[in-house]
Amino acid sequence: MSDLKNCYHLFRHRFYKLCGITRVKTNRYGVKLYNKVGSDLFPELFSRREEIAPEEVFLGFDGLKDEYTLLDVPMAQSPHFDMIDKIAKGEDISSCDYMLREYRGTLDGRFGADVLPKSHVNACRKAEEKLAAGETEPPVLYRLNGRLYVYDGKHRLALALQKKMKIECFVIDAAHIAKQSYVAMMFKKMKNRAGYLQNSAHIKSLLSLIEGKKRVLVVNRNRTENLGDYAIAQSMVKLFTDRGAVADLAELSDVNGKRFVKTDYSGSSRQSKPRLSSLKRNRLIRAVGLRVINNSLYQLLRSSKYDKVIIGGGELLQSNGVFPSALDSWTRVSRRRQPSAKIILFAVGATSVFTPKDKKKTARALGRADRVYVRDIASQNNLAEVFGVGSELICDVVFYSGSGRESSASNRTRILYGITSFKRVKRYGMLSDAEESYFELCRKEIEGLIEQFPSAQPALFYTITDDYRACVDFNKAMQERFRVSYPIADTAVPEKLRAAYDEAVCVASPRMHGCILAINSGVPKVIPIIISPKMEAFGSVYSDGFSPEKLRRMLVDAADEVLGL
C-alpha cells in the first residue's frame, strides 16, 4: 500500500510540474503542496553571511497543525539532528522519529513517503564530504522575535551541530518570508481554520513586521541586454532594503518571463538587421509593449499597498520617443491605482532638447512626481530651464553597490577598453564624424594605455549587445588596415564582467555604468571616454576630490529622506 501511495504522489507531483501547476491542499496533518515553486526571494537578499552556532537555531514555519508542527523546536531536539546523529554513530535509523514522520507526512509540507534508510545514509555521507571540503551551500535563516529560524538547510545545520562546529549561513530579513509565494499560499489555507494556532501566530508576527515597515515599489528595467540596467535595479532594491524598507521590483523589461529585448551576441552591426523595420512597426510594438507593461505594473499595485513608487536609478529624461511615453504611462498608472503613494524620480538624468510632444509627456510625468532627484548639475539645470521643476542633487545609484576601495590584488594584468557603436558616437557628435576616424582614435588610445601599463595585456569589452558588435567591427577594421586585432573579453553577464574587472589594472569605457562598476570593483585606474553629454556630466563628478564613500553617504541620506516623506 505504501508503494502505491508513493507512486500516486510521485505521479501527481510530476504531472503538476510538467504542466507548470502548483497545487496546495490540506489533509489531517496540515497544508501540503504539489510542485513547490522556487523561492521568489530576491537574490540580492543572499549577501549577508554570518557564522552561526547551530544550537542557536530553531525550526521554522512548516504549515502543520499544532499537534504535529515542529515550529520553535531547537535544532538540537529536532528529528533531523536525531537522525544524523544516529547515522554518525552507526545506529539503525529505520524507526527514528524522522523516518516515522516522513512516512506519515508530519515532517513538513510534503506528502508522506516511504524512503529507504540507505538513501538518507548515503546523502548524509555526501553532505559530510562537502562540509569537510568547505563546499557546503550556506543554509538560509531568518530572525524573528529574537530567535533565528531555519528557512532552508535543516540537514546541513543538523550535520554541523553533530560535528560541533559553526556554519556560515545567509541571514535574511524575516519580513521577506511572509511574502514568499509558498508561505503565502499555505497561510491562506491555514487562515480561520482550527489547529493552526502556533503557525498562524508565527505568520502574524511576520506580517506585523512588514506592516511596520515602509513598502516601496522600485520601477525599473532589469533583465535586458544592458548590464547597466541590471546594476541599477539591484542597487535600488539594495539601497532601500538596507534602509529598513520592504522593496519590490517591477521589472518592466521582463513580463511573464519573456524579454522584450532579446540578447544576441552573434554577428556584427553591419550584418545585423535593424530591430524595427518601420515607423509603423515601432509605434505598434511601443503601444503593445506599454500596454503589457502597464498591466504588469497594475497587478503589482493592486496586490500590495505601497508607501512609495520609486522610478529611475539611471533613466535619462530625453526626447527619444520611448521613455517619455513610458514615464508618462508609469506615473499615470501609479497615481491612479494608489493615490496616497508618493511618486519619486530617483537619480535620473535630463537633457535640454525635447520635441513638443515628448516635452508635453515628460512635463505631465514630472507634474505627478512628489520629488525629483537628479544625478548631476547639468540635469538639475536642464529640468529647471526646460520644465521649471526644482530637483535635489545626488549621484548615480550604482555607486551604492561597491566598496569603492582600491584592490591590492597582484593578478591585475589586463587593460579593458570599451568600444561602442559608431552610430551612438555620431548621434552626439563629440568625437568624430567618420567611423574610420573614431576607430583610429580608439586604436591610438589603446596604444597609449599599453605604453602606460607595459606589463598588462589589452582586451576589448562590452556591457551591451550593440557594443559587442562594435568590438567585432573594430577588430575587422584593425585587421584590414594594420593586421592587428584585440581579444574580446567575455563580459556578457554580471558575474563575468566582475571577474574581468578583478583582473584589470585599467578600464576605459564610453558607458557610464561600465565606469561606475569598475570603480566599485576597485580597479586602480578608470577612464571615462567622453562621447556624450551624459559622459561629460559623469566626468565632472569623477574628478578631483572624488570620494565613493561620500557619494554613498549622499545616496543613503536621500533614501532616508524619501522614506520619511
Side-chain angles (χ1 to χ4, degrees):
M1 189 66 183
S2 61
D3 290 339
L4 184 61
K5 182 177 70 172
N6 284 346
C7 290
Y8 169 75
H9 289 306
L10 182 62
F11 169 77
R12 295 199 66 171
H13 177 79
R14 289 184 176 176
F15 173 77
Y16 285 127
K17 187 173 183 179
L18 180 65
C19 298
I21 299 171
T22 297
R23 185 182 178 191
V24 182
K25 62 180 297 184
T26 57
N27 64 12
R28 57 179 172 167
Y29 301 123
V31 184
K32 301 294 177 180
L33 191 76
Y34 283 113
N35 184 27
K36 178 180 177 180
V37 293
S39 170
D40 57 7
L41 296 171
F42 293 129
E44 59 269 18
L45 296 176
F46 301 103
S47 58
R48 181 186 171 192
R49 298 187 181 210
E50 294 183 21
E51 197 173 61
I52 300 295
E55 59 268 20
E56 299 175 0
V57 180
F58 295 79
L59 297 184
F61 167 76
D62 56 19
L64 300 178
K65 294 180 180 178
D66 290 356
E67 183 181 352
Y68 310 103
T69 186
L70 292 168
L71 178 62
D72 282 317
V73 171
M75 183 56 63
Q77 299 173 22
S78 68
H80 308 75
F81 174 74
D82 177 59
M83 181 183 70
I84 285 179
D85 190 48
K86 281 182 166 60
I87 291 174
K89 295 175 180 177
E91 299 177 9
D92 179 30
I93 63 169
S94 58
S95 60
C96 70
D97 187 37
Y98 185 97
M99 296 293 293
L100 295 175
R101 282 178 170 271
E102 188 173 43
Y103 176 73
R104 288 185 298 169
T106 61
L107 187 64
D108 48 35
R110 293 172 293 183
F111 287 90
D114 192 6
V115 180
L116 294 175
K118 186 177 180 181
S119 299
H120 290 302
V121 173
N122 291 338
C124 184
R125 299 302 182 209
K126 290 179 182 178
E128 283 180 340
E129 293 173 3
K130 283 189 174 183
L131 186 65
E135 300 174 354
T136 300
E137 182 72 17
V140 181
L141 312 179
Y142 62 97
R143 185 175 279 111
L144 182 67
N145 299 330
R147 283 186 171 181
L148 280 172
Y149 291 94
V150 57
Y151 177 76
D152 180 62
K154 300 180 184 72
H155 294 91
R156 283 165 276 168
L157 283 161
L159 183 60
L161 179 59
Q162 203 280 327
K163 300 296 181 184
K164 294 182 172 57
M165 59 186 292
K166 292 185 176 182
I167 184 171
E168 195 173 59
C169 301
F170 292 117
V171 181
I172 66 174
D173 190 336
H176 289 281
I177 299 299
K179 292 167 42 184
Q180 206 271 341
S181 58
Y182 169 58
V183 176
M185 286 187 294
M186 295 184 84
F187 186 51
K188 287 178 182 178
K189 286 287 184 181
M190 293 160 45
K191 197 172 182 180
N192 301 325
R193 298 190 185 187
Y196 291 103
L197 181 62
Q198 191 171 340
N199 276 280
S200 182
H202 194 77
I203 284 292
K204 285 178 180 176
S205 294
L206 292 175
L207 292 175
S208 64
L209 183 61
I210 290 180
E211 290 166 358
K213 291 189 171 189
K214 297 287 186 181
R215 292 182 62 87
V216 302
L217 178 63
V218 174
V219 181
N220 214 306
R221 293 170 292 178
N222 185 30
R223 285 174 280 185
T224 70
E225 60 182 1
N226 190 338
L227 298 186
D229 291 337
Y230 173 85
I232 292 165
Q234 304 309 308
S235 297
M236 287 276 278
V237 171
K238 179 173 172 56
L239 172 61
F240 287 98
T241 300
D242 287 352
R243 303 317 298 162
V246 177
D248 292 336
L249 175 62
E251 296 186 354
L252 297 181
S253 51
D254 190 83
V255 179
N256 296 330
K258 296 181 179 179
R259 299 183 182 184
F260 282 109
V261 181
K262 182 180 179 182
T263 303
D264 179 13
Y265 291 103
S266 61
S268 69
S269 57
R270 290 192 181 94
Q271 298 168 339
S272 60
K273 295 181 180 179
R275 190 172 295 141
L276 300 174
S277 60
S278 68
L279 181 60
K280 288 184 178 180
R281 185 181 175 200
N282 189 349
R283 287 174 177 169
L284 176 63
I285 289 178
R286 190 186 311 157
V288 173
L290 285 174
R291 182 169 299 221
V292 175
I293 283 172
N294 284 344
N295 285 341
S296 176
L297 183 60
Y298 174 87
Q299 293 298 329
L300 282 167
L301 292 170
R302 187 177 69 173
S303 62
S304 299
K305 182 172 176 57
Y306 294 100
D307 298 287
K308 324 287 176 186
V309 176
I310 302 173
I311 302 171
E315 274 78 2
L316 180 66
L317 308 187
Q318 59 181 327
S319 190
N320 63 358
V322 176
F323 189 67
S325 298
L327 185 63
D328 182 27
S329 186
W330 297 346
T331 54
R332 184 178 67 251
V333 171
S334 299
R335 180 63 73 211
R336 184 177 298 169
R337 294 307 308 165
Q338 296 201 14
S340 63
K342 302 289 186 181
I343 298 177
I344 314 294
L345 299 188
F346 196 84
V348 296
T351 60
S352 58
V353 180
F354 290 81
T355 65
K357 190 174 182 180
D358 285 345
K359 181 179 178 181
K360 185 177 180 180
K361 292 176 182 177
T362 304
R364 282 201 303 257
L366 290 169
R368 298 185 188 106
D370 294 281
R371 189 159 299 186
V372 180
Y373 294 83
V374 293
R375 65 189 180 208
D376 55 72
I377 295 175
S379 296
Q380 192 174 42
N381 293 336
N382 289 337
L383 282 184
E385 293 172 6
V386 178
F387 299 100
V389 172
S391 57
E392 304 292 329
L393 183 65
I394 54 174
C395 64
D396 192 280
V397 74
V398 177
F399 275 114
Y400 184 73
S401 299
S403 63
R405 293 190 296 271
E406 183 172 321
S407 171
S408 59
S410 59
N411 62 341
R412 293 187 176 275
T413 57
R414 302 178 81 181
I415 298 168
L416 293 179
Y417 190 90
I419 303 287
T420 193
S421 66
F422 177 68
K423 181 180 178 181
R424 180 167 177 257
V425 172
K426 187 177 180 179
R427 182 166 77 239
Y428 297 112
M430 298 187 71
L431 282 186
S432 175
D433 57 358
E435 186 178 57
E436 293 76 12
S437 301
Y438 168 58
F439 283 168
E440 176 63 17
L441 177 63
C442 292
R443 185 183 70 85
K444 288 181 179 179
E445 288 184 341
I446 293 172
E447 289 180 349
L449 293 174
I450 293 173
E451 291 180 4
Q452 190 174 351
F453 302 97
S455 61
Q457 297 297 315
L460 308 179
F461 84 107
Y462 53 93
T463 59
I464 188 171
T465 306
D466 285 346
D467 287 2
Y468 172 80
R469 300 190 189 105
C471 290
V472 173
D473 287 348
F474 175 76
N475 267 342
K476 184 177 179 180
M478 293 300 99
Q479 186 65 39
E480 291 174 352
R481 295 180 60 188
F482 303 104
R483 296 291 184 269
V484 65
S485 62
Y486 302 94
I488 301 176
D490 183 0
T491 54
V493 295
E495 294 75 16
K496 291 183 178 180
L497 180 65
R498 283 192 291 267
Y501 282 156
D502 287 342
E503 297 177 355
V505 67
C506 174
V507 168
S509 176
R511 294 281 179 180
M512 183 174 70
H513 293 111
C515 291
I516 296 175
L517 290 170
I519 294 168
N520 288 346
S521 297
V523 176
K525 188 174 184 64
V526 178
I527 303 172
I529 301 175
I530 310 300
I531 68 164
S532 65
K534 180 171 78 170
M535 288 303 294
E536 191 172 42
F538 171 71
S540 66
V541 174
Y542 184 58
S543 57
D544 294 338
F546 171 79
S547 169
E549 185 54 43
K550 183 179 179 180
L551 297 183
R552 280 191 292 276
R553 185 70 253 171
M554 183 187 297
L555 287 167
V556 167
D557 291 343
D560 288 343
E561 188 175 64
V562 167
L563 294 175
L565 290 176

